Amino acid sequence: MLLKAALTSLRRGGTLTAEPVSASHEVSVRHLAAYNAVCGFGLRDALPLTYPHVLGFPLQMKLMTGAGFPFPLPGLVHVANRITQSRALAVGEPLEITVSARDLRPHPQGTQVDVVTSVSGVWEGVSTYLRRSGGTSGPGEELERPAGSAVWRVPADIGRRYGTVSGDRNPIHLHPVGAKLFGFPRAIAHGMWTKARCVAALEGRLPEAVTVAVRFKKPLLIPGRVEFSASGSADGWEFAVWGKGPHLVGSAT
């Protein structure tokens, strides 16, 4: 997988012609327990909201390394993720997973595309990726730091641990040397681990039918110390993860 991802560096952009890819899947309770332990979820009869994302990861990689995907994977930035489910998925139910790509569109810094994972008609995850190609980011979004609800100490091995359960073994998450090759001073946490950790912190307070959307801001260098904040209202929850600046901002509705 890593070799195929590296070979996509030869791409120079183009049109989006990737065909959807699909597979059937049955959940391994052992794998689910390992994922829950890494992300902070308890053991329940229903799948955690973010877990189907990792089940779809092999198909995501198959689609993105295939000929119809226009961008090289090295340097592609995961900028946002939105998950919507109409009901919780049970641990024992058979799953049908389909991954597709859509909405190739311009961005002030390059081009964006959505990689969409659908599971059994009741769960959908939309990951937005940015391919930078110059341009300017403009004045930037002014975010006010919320009052922290909890302090999280993120260990240095969280990238390796999450990489093991998710299959996402991008070198920027695994070791300082791999991260430095891509311009980071040390390894960074996976954005989807950070999102999963936030959802786990809200476990028991979210309905089965829910949309949880996040934007990934500054990379979370590991090891690190961050503040998690969450505030509820009649419409749902607003939450964030901050260090010296924002790492993730999100909402659950």
Side-chain angles (χ1 to χ4, degrees):
M1 183 183 296
L2 288 173
L3 178 59
K4 290 181 69 175
L7 290 175
T8 65
S9 298
L10 302 175
R11 294 174 179 165
R12 292 295 178 266
T15 59
L16 177 62
T17 59
E19 293 292 328
V21 291
S22 300
S24 300
H25 190 90
E26 292 186 4
V27 172
S28 161
V29 175
R30 178 176 295 181
H31 181 263
L32 174 61
Y35 176 87
N36 288 348
V38 171
C39 298
F41 291 102
L43 294 176
R44 302 169 56 210
D45 292 334
L47 301 183
L49 180 74
T50 51
Y51 183 65
H53 176 84
V54 303
L55 298 182
F57 184 73
L59 292 177
Q60 295 162 21
M61 289 299 297
K62 181 178 180 179
L63 181 141
M64 295 170 75
T65 57
F69 193 77
F71 303 132
L73 269 63
L76 203 62
V77 183
H78 193 185
V79 295
N81 176 268
R82 183 181 73 254
I83 294 173
T84 300
Q85 71 173 19
S86 57
R87 65 166 176 84
L89 291 161
V91 171
E93 69 177 285
L95 305 177
E96 295 296 327
I97 305 174
T98 299
V99 174
S100 58
R102 67 189 186 200
D103 200 10
L104 191 67
R105 58 196 184 275
H107 182 274
Q109 291 181 281
T111 309
Q112 287 185 333
V113 66
D114 292 335
V115 175
V116 183
T117 303
S118 301
V119 180
S120 299
V122 300
W123 187 101
E124 181 182 79
V126 181
S127 289
T128 301
Y129 291 94
L130 169 65
R131 173 62 178 173
R132 291 196 175 105
S133 57
T136 176
S137 60
E141 180 184 15
E142 291 291 335
L143 296 175
E144 182 177 351
R145 187 186 189 104
S149 306
V151 174
W152 294 345
R153 298 189 182 277
V154 185
D157 67 348
I158 198 64
R160 293 189 292 275
R161 292 169 58 203
Y162 185 79
T164 297
V165 297
S166 69
D168 185 355
R169 296 182 174 88
N170 188 324
I172 64 175
H173 303 300
L174 305 182
H175 195 276
V177 174
K180 287 178 180 178
L181 293 175
F182 291 89
F184 299 101
R186 56 184 191 270
I188 65 174
H190 294 74
M192 287 304 295
W193 173 83
T194 310
K195 177 173 183 176
R197 184 68 185 85
C198 292
V199 174
L202 295 172
E203 194 170 27
R205 289 178 280 182
L206 300 179
E208 284 195 12
V210 68
T211 294
V212 179
V214 302
R215 290 172 292 150
F216 302 115
K217 310 301 283 186
K218 297 178 181 295
L220 200 171
L221 299 174
I222 51 177
R225 177 185 179 277
V226 296
E227 289 186 351
F228 168 74
S229 66
S231 59
S233 70
D235 297 324
W237 290 85
E238 300 288 333
F239 58 91
V241 176
W242 282 67
K244 292 182 178 179
H247 297 297
L248 174 152
V249 293
S251 64
T253 55

